[in-house]
């Protein structure tokens, strides 16, 4: 889902419903706008408002969890790259070619993480490089127990990097259910329609309703951005990967 488009639709629906309520109030007979009617509608809309708040809180939590999981996966991948580089340095000159491949992988992964990915994109180019690293580690021929231990540790680190990579893939799709989002916008539209129905007809009220609708649509935009951390304008920082690349470059040159 395009966050900007959805937030604009939400704003138009919510604010448009408020204006519709204001216009409807001018046409309804006076008994429909009595104090008893206002009380009944307010009580009913309080239930809708409570449900909307619960759904909104659930969506915020889901989006935040998705964003944080992807951020942690980036950090875990960077740590794995650093640890693997150090292990290969300790192994000796025979692992120099693997370190060059690791440097190539880190550069490619930074480029991949810095650009938006599609729903079906699983990052095959970088996956193939990571698999090459694993094959190169398996192809090492340790000459003593020390090198055998380092080779085993390097294999574990390569596997942990693969795990972090798959977390990045799984968190590249939207974490916000479309049905929840549609229902939330519908409820908020009903709520604002009731506000407009019984609100005084003056510019201050219209401006207040406009600002409230704008704030809510902005919140929906942020929820969608955090819920799609691989494709939105707001994405987890790749600074840890740059740090890992800098370290590899220093030890390779």
């Amino acid at each position: 889902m395009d966050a900007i488009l959805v937030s604009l639709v939400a704003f138009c629906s919510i604010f448009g419903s408020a204006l519709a309520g204001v216009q409807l109030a001018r046409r309804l007979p006076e008994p429909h706008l009595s104090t008893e009617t206002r009380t009944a509608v307010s009580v009913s809309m309080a239930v809708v408002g409570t449900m909307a708040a619960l759904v909104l809180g659930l969506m915020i939590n889901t989006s935040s969890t998705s964003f944080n999981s992807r951020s942690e996966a980036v950090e875990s991948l960077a740590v794995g790259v650093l640890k693997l580089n150090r292990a290969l340095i300790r192994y000796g000159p025979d692992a120099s070619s693997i370190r060059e491949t690791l440097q190539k992988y880190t550069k490619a992964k930074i480029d991949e993480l810095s650009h938006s990915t599609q729903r079906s994109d699983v990052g095959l180019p970088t996956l193939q490089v990571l698999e090459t690293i694993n094959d190169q580690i398996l192809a090492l021929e340790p000459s003593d127990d020390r090198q055998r231990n380092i080779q085993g540790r390097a294999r574990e680190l390569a596997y942990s990097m693969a795990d972090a990579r798959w977390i990045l893939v799984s968190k590249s799709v939207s974490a916000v259910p479309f049905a929840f989002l549609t229902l939330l916008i519908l409820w908020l539209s009903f709520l604002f329609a009731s506000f407009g129905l019984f609100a005084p007809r003056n510019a201050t009220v219209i401006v207040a309703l406009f600002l409230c609708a704008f704030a809510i649509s902005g919140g929906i935009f942020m929820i969608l951005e955090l819920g799609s951390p691989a494709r939105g304008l707001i994405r987890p920082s790749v600074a840890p990967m740059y740090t890992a690349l800098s370290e590899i470059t220093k030890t390779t040159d």
Side-chain angles (χ1 to χ4, degrees):
M1 292 178 289
D2 187 283
I4 296 178
L5 177 60
V6 174
S7 60
L8 286 175
V9 171
F11 171 78
C12 293
S13 177
I14 295 171
F15 185 59
S17 296
L19 294 180
V22 173
Q23 292 298 321
L24 182 61
R26 297 178 178 179
R27 300 175 180 232
L28 289 176
E30 189 60 32
H32 290 272
L33 302 175
S34 64
T35 302
E36 292 79 7
T37 302
R38 182 192 299 265
T39 300
V41 173
S42 297
V43 172
S44 301
M45 287 298 106
V47 177
V48 176
T50 301
M51 292 191 299
L54 291 174
V55 172
L56 187 61
L58 176 62
M59 290 171 58
I60 291 174
N61 181 67
T62 301
S63 298
S64 177
T65 300
S66 178
F67 186 86
N68 291 336
S69 296
R70 189 171 173 86
S71 297
E72 291 172 1
V74 172
E75 294 175 1
S76 177
L77 185 60
V79 170
V81 169
L82 285 170
K83 288 183 177 180
L84 180 57
N85 181 59
R86 295 306 305 174
L88 295 174
I89 290 175
R90 293 181 59 231
Y91 187 91
D94 292 343
S96 59
S97 62
I98 307 179
R99 291 173 58 211
E100 292 175 358
T101 307
L102 182 62
Q103 184 179 29
K104 175 184 176 183
Y105 170 79
T106 306
K107 290 179 179 178
K109 198 63 182 179
I110 288 175
D111 183 68
E112 180 184 285
L113 293 173
S114 299
H115 296 84
S116 297
T117 59
Q118 300 301 319
R119 183 180 296 271
S120 58
D121 187 7
V122 295
L124 287 179
T126 54
L127 174 60
Q128 291 170 352
V129 179
L130 184 58
E131 290 173 341
T132 299
I133 292 174
N134 192 47
D135 292 340
Q136 288 177 317
I137 294 174
L138 291 174
L140 289 173
E141 298 179 355
S143 59
D144 52 34
D145 289 341
R146 176 180 175 277
Q147 287 189 334
R148 273 189 288 272
N149 288 334
I150 295 176
Q151 182 190 34
R153 177 57 176 163
R155 290 176 60 189
E156 292 176 0
L157 290 170
Y159 291 144
S160 68
M161 289 168 58
D163 291 340
R165 179 201 169 278
W166 283 114
I167 292 177
L168 289 173
V169 171
S170 67
K171 298 301 180 181
S172 63
V173 297
S174 177
V176 180
F178 182 74
F180 272 18
L181 182 62
T182 303
L183 196 59
L184 176 65
I185 295 174
L186 182 63
W187 286 347
L188 290 172
S189 298
F190 288 159
L191 193 61
F192 270 68
S194 70
F195 292 162
L197 186 63
F198 296 103
R201 303 177 187 89
N202 56 59
T204 300
V205 170
I206 300 300
V207 171
L209 292 173
F210 175 88
L211 293 176
C212 289
F214 182 79
I216 292 173
S217 61
I220 291 175
F221 172 79
M222 292 301 300
I223 289 173
L224 293 176
E225 283 290 299
L226 293 177
S228 302
R231 295 182 289 118
L233 298 176
I234 303 175
R235 292 196 291 270
S237 173
V238 294
M241 293 296 292
Y242 277 109
T243 301
L245 178 61
S246 176
E247 181 64 24
I248 295 175
T249 302
K250 289 179 182 178
T251 56
T252 302
D253 293 341

